[in-house]
């Protein structure tokens, strides 16, 4: 079945037939700088008796794992090799440019393989300092701010207008506790900041304590920097750490590259011991990027999308997204062959509403929200509070954009900022976003947010007359997204 051509025309439930022409696929395959803006997305459907969409793909390397690996390789003693890295995406390129400024040497072997010669635990910074501009790369900004503890001089961390609104205050406080001098050069608690490390990178305390934070990246950055501190570092996370799955990813990666890590039960206490040597690493496919294609299958009855390279042992919380779709009625299968892992989702006749916690996979919330817009009732999502401080305020953005379809999103349910409800429109006794050919034109704003663009594009697979503004913003983490989406059509 897999590898067979996708269908050209179909029905969705009892809706009228929507033709799928090759024009949409041809447009989606254009280079990013040649895409029309706004970008039209054409519905995919099939006629009775025709084979449903069947697609197998491997997304690019995980952004979260790539940027962690880049930082660790740049700090390590010796030359590391990183395969299947997310090369060419803006977030990763910002990190690569920054570590080169700080003294690491980068060799690009091919499109996804890097060799990085590290600095042996100490960034090479002149006494007058160095300035790093990281655009809107949250991982690079938080990780490098934490790793500024390891420099021989001051490091200034800055970004674009949105990055200057994103929180850094809890990390700033932690760095000061460790003995660094931090000057806040703009809005307090946000970039730009100038960080002068403590003498000899020797922290003034051995243990840091945190409660819930605005971003788990503060913790991950400190854990990775700890591998090069003279005596390592212990972090007490308390009983409810933010986005614990991402902290777990960092701990597992440190262990995989040979850093000694000790954790208590439920990872409340984490102790990182000093010692970081060069390593070889294969980066997993990006599970966040895979969510869009699993969701595409769930939205198209009978469609099947298989993502290769991911299994039940993935370090990424988003690799559990198919089970979220399974609770809504989608079929989910996982390979039993450990040498050739894959995860497949198959579209049901209709999607049921869901009650779920997205705390372990916040970046997949927008993907699931689009699926909920086509469900047969109100869905309740928990674990969403961190969406306020991402590339945009993603909760406000979802309210506005899905509101254009008649979807109602309520936040602060029962005064809980971590909960939102999603209620599809209802018309003539039918619940869910209408998919009729005469649907009015809808142009979705994307807020220069790659995940908003990729999530909202899924609406167009079911609803006619959908257009995506600023489609180029996907280059932040998934430059080939539109080309891969085109594979659903052909």
């Amino acid at each position: 079945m897999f590898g067979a051509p996708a269908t050209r025309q179909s029905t969705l439930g009892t809706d009228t037939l929507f033709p799928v022409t090759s024009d949409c696929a041809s447009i989606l395959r254009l280079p990013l700088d040649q895409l029309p803006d706004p970008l039209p997305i054409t519905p995919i459907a099939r006629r009775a008796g025709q084979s449903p969409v069947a697609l197998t793909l491997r997304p690019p390397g995980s952004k979260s794992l790539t940027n962690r690996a880049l930082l660790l390789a740049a700090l390590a003693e010796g030359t590391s090799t990183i395969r299947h890295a997310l090369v060419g995406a803006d977030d990763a390129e910002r990190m690569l440019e920054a570590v080169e400024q700080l003294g690491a040497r980068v060799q690009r072997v091919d499109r996804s393989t890097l060799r990085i010669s590290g600095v042996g635990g100490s960034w090479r910074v002149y006494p007058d300092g160095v300035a790093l501009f990281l655009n809107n790369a949250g991982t690079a900004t938080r990780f490098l701010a934490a790793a500024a503890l390891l420099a021989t001089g001051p490091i200034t961390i800055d970004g674009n207008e949105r990055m200057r609104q994103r929180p850094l205050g809890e990390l700033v406080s932690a760095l000061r506790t460790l003995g660094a001098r931090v000057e806040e050069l703009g809005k307090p608690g946000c970039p730009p900041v100038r960080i002068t490390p403590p003498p000899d990178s020797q922290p003034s305390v051995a243990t840091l304590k945190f409660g819930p934070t605005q971003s788990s990246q503060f913790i991950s950055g400190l854990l990775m920097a700890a591998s090069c501190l003279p005596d390592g570092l212990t972090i007490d996370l308390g009983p409810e750490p933010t986005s614990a799955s991402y902290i777990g990813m960092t701990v597992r990666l440190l262990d995989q590259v040979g850093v000694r890590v000790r954790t208590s039960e439920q990872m409340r206490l984490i102790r990182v011991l000093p010692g970081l040597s060069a390593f070889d690493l294969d980066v997993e496919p990006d599970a966040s990027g895979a969510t869009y294609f699993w969701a595409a299958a769930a939205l198209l009855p009978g469609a099947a999308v298989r993502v290769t390279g991911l299994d039940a042992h993935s370090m990424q919380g988003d690799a559990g997204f198919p089970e979220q779709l399974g609770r809504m009625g989608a079929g989910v299968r996982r390979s039993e062959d450990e040498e050739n892992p894959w995860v497949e989702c198959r579209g049901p006749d209709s999607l049921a509403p869901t009650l779920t916690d997205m705390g372990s996979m916040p970046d997949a919330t927008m993907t699931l929200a689009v699926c909920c817009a086509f469900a047969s009732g109100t869905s309740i999502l928990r674990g969403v509070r961190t969406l306020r401080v991402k590339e945009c305020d993603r909760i406000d953005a979802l309210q506005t954009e899905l509101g254009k379809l008649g979807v109602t999103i309520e936040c602060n349910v029962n005064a809980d900022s971590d909960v939102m409800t999603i209620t599809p429109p209802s018309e003539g006794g039918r619940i869910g976003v209408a998919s009729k050919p005469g649907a009015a034109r809808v142009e979705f704003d994307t807020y220069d947010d790659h995940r908003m663009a990729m999530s909202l594009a899924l609406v167009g697979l079911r609803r006619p007359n959908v257009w995506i503004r600023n489609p180029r913003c996907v280059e932040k983490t998934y430059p080939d997204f539109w080309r891969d989406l085109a594979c659903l059509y052909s």
Side-chain angles (χ1 to χ4, degrees):
M1 181 184 83
F2 288 89
T7 56
R8 299 289 182 184
Q9 191 174 30
S10 70
T11 58
L12 293 174
T14 58
D15 288 341
T16 306
L17 289 173
F18 305 134
V20 179
T21 70
S22 60
D23 292 342
C24 183
S26 298
I27 292 171
L28 292 173
R29 291 193 182 98
L30 291 172
L32 279 178
D33 59 359
Q34 296 178 27
L35 287 174
D37 186 359
L39 176 68
I41 306 295
T42 303
I44 294 176
R46 65 186 177 90
R47 294 187 180 192
Q50 287 186 322
S51 298
V53 170
L55 174 66
T56 297
L57 82 160
R58 179 186 173 110
S62 161
K63 185 249 326 201
S64 296
L65 286 171
T66 293
N67 269 356
R68 283 165 171 79
L70 294 181
L71 181 73
L72 291 170
L75 283 170
E77 182 75 47
T79 300
S80 300
T81 300
I82 304 173
R83 301 177 184 84
H84 297 118
L86 180 64
V87 178
D90 189 69
D91 273 18
E93 292 297 328
R94 298 289 175 174
M95 177 67 89
L96 283 167
E97 291 171 11
V99 298
E100 286 186 295
Q101 282 184 263
L102 296 170
R105 297 196 307 275
V106 177
Q107 178 189 359
R108 297 172 186 255
V109 179
D110 56 37
R111 286 192 62 194
S112 63
T113 303
L114 301 167
R115 288 197 184 97
I116 299 178
S117 298
V119 298
S122 180
W123 300 126
R124 297 162 188 165
V125 178
Y126 290 112
D128 58 349
V130 66
L132 306 177
F133 179 80
L134 300 167
N135 203 30
N136 198 14
T139 51
T141 296
R142 278 76 174 259
F143 293 172
L144 288 163
L149 289 166
L150 306 169
T152 56
I155 296 177
T156 299
I157 304 283
D158 199 3
N160 68 4
E161 181 179 355
R162 175 58 184 170
M163 195 66 240
R164 289 184 170 193
Q165 299 170 357
R166 298 177 69 182
L168 202 63
E170 291 156 327
L171 180 56
V172 166
S173 296
L175 292 172
R176 287 172 173 160
T177 299
L178 291 168
R181 181 163 62 91
V182 184
E183 303 165 73
E184 296 170 271
L185 306 178
K187 179 182 176 182
C190 299
V193 294
R194 180 178 168 90
I195 303 165
T196 302
D200 300 319
S201 296
Q202 181 65 59
S204 52
V205 299
T207 301
L208 285 174
K209 291 187 177 182
F210 287 91
T213 56
Q214 290 180 293
S215 172
S216 65
Q217 292 168 359
F218 306 154
I219 310 297
S220 289
L222 290 165
L223 290 172
M224 289 186 287
S227 66
C228 296
L229 293 174
D231 300 310
L233 186 67
T234 298
I235 296 182
D236 184 344
L237 296 177
E240 295 184 6
T242 300
S243 300
S245 63
Y246 284 98
I247 299 172
M249 174 195 295
T250 304
V251 168
R252 289 179 62 184
L253 182 61
L254 285 168
D255 180 71
Q256 185 169 332
V257 302
V259 176
R260 292 172 295 165
V261 184
R262 305 288 182 265
T263 64
S264 66
E265 189 176 356
Q266 297 181 336
M267 240 173 25
R268 176 171 177 171
L269 284 171
I270 305 174
R271 168 76 173 150
V272 178
L273 299 171
L276 175 61
S277 300
F279 55 87
D280 284 4
L281 180 72
D282 286 318
V283 177
E284 298 176 3
D286 192 83
S288 300
T291 66
Y292 309 111
F293 294 93
W294 286 321
L299 287 166
L300 300 171
V305 172
R306 180 176 293 180
V307 175
T308 62
L310 289 170
D311 59 23
H313 306 294
S314 170
M315 296 188 200
Q316 303 170 75
D318 287 12
F321 185 75
E323 279 64 40
Q324 299 283 4
L325 298 175
R327 283 191 279 275
M328 299 182 74
V332 179
R333 294 173 58 212
R334 291 182 179 271
S335 168
E336 297 180 0
D337 182 356
E338 294 185 1
E339 297 297 319
N340 298 288
W342 49 261
V343 186
E344 174 191 314
C345 282
R346 185 177 296 273
D349 291 336
S350 62
L351 289 169
T354 188
L355 168 60
T356 192
D357 191 326
M358 299 299 289
S360 65
M361 54 183 84
D363 281 349
T365 302
M366 293 73 63
T367 317
L368 192 67
V370 170
C371 293
C372 292
F374 289 91
S376 57
T378 297
S379 296
I380 303 173
L381 308 187
R382 294 189 56 83
V384 301
R385 65 180 177 83
T386 61
L387 300 186
R388 294 285 189 191
V389 292
K390 298 287 188 177
E391 281 80 346
C392 69
D393 183 332
R394 289 174 172 169
I395 293 178
D396 275 358
L398 283 172
Q399 285 180 306
T400 299
E401 300 312 312
L402 292 183
K404 295 174 181 179
L405 305 173
V407 177
T408 301
I409 296 181
E410 296 183 0
C411 305
N412 298 319
V413 179
N414 295 325
D416 188 343
S417 63
D418 213 25
V419 179
M420 70 179 182
T421 63
I422 303 173
T423 303
S426 178
E427 182 180 351
R430 174 178 176 152
I431 300 174
V433 172
S435 303
K436 296 180 179 179
R441 177 174 174 131
V442 169
E443 291 191 12
F444 286 129
D445 287 306
T446 53
Y447 308 85
D448 200 25
D449 186 333
H450 55 135
R451 302 216 180 278
M452 289 302 300
M454 292 186 281
S455 298
L456 292 170
L458 298 173
V459 174
L461 301 180
R462 284 277 299 260
R463 184 195 186 276
N465 223 357
V466 166
W467 303 71
I468 304 296
R469 293 175 180 162
N470 187 21
R472 189 171 178 175
C473 67
V474 302
E475 67 186 338
K476 188 175 194 291
T477 57
Y478 199 158
D480 288 335
F481 172 75
W482 301 114
R483 287 178 179 268
D484 285 351
L485 192 71
C487 294
L488 291 169
Y489 293 86
S490 61

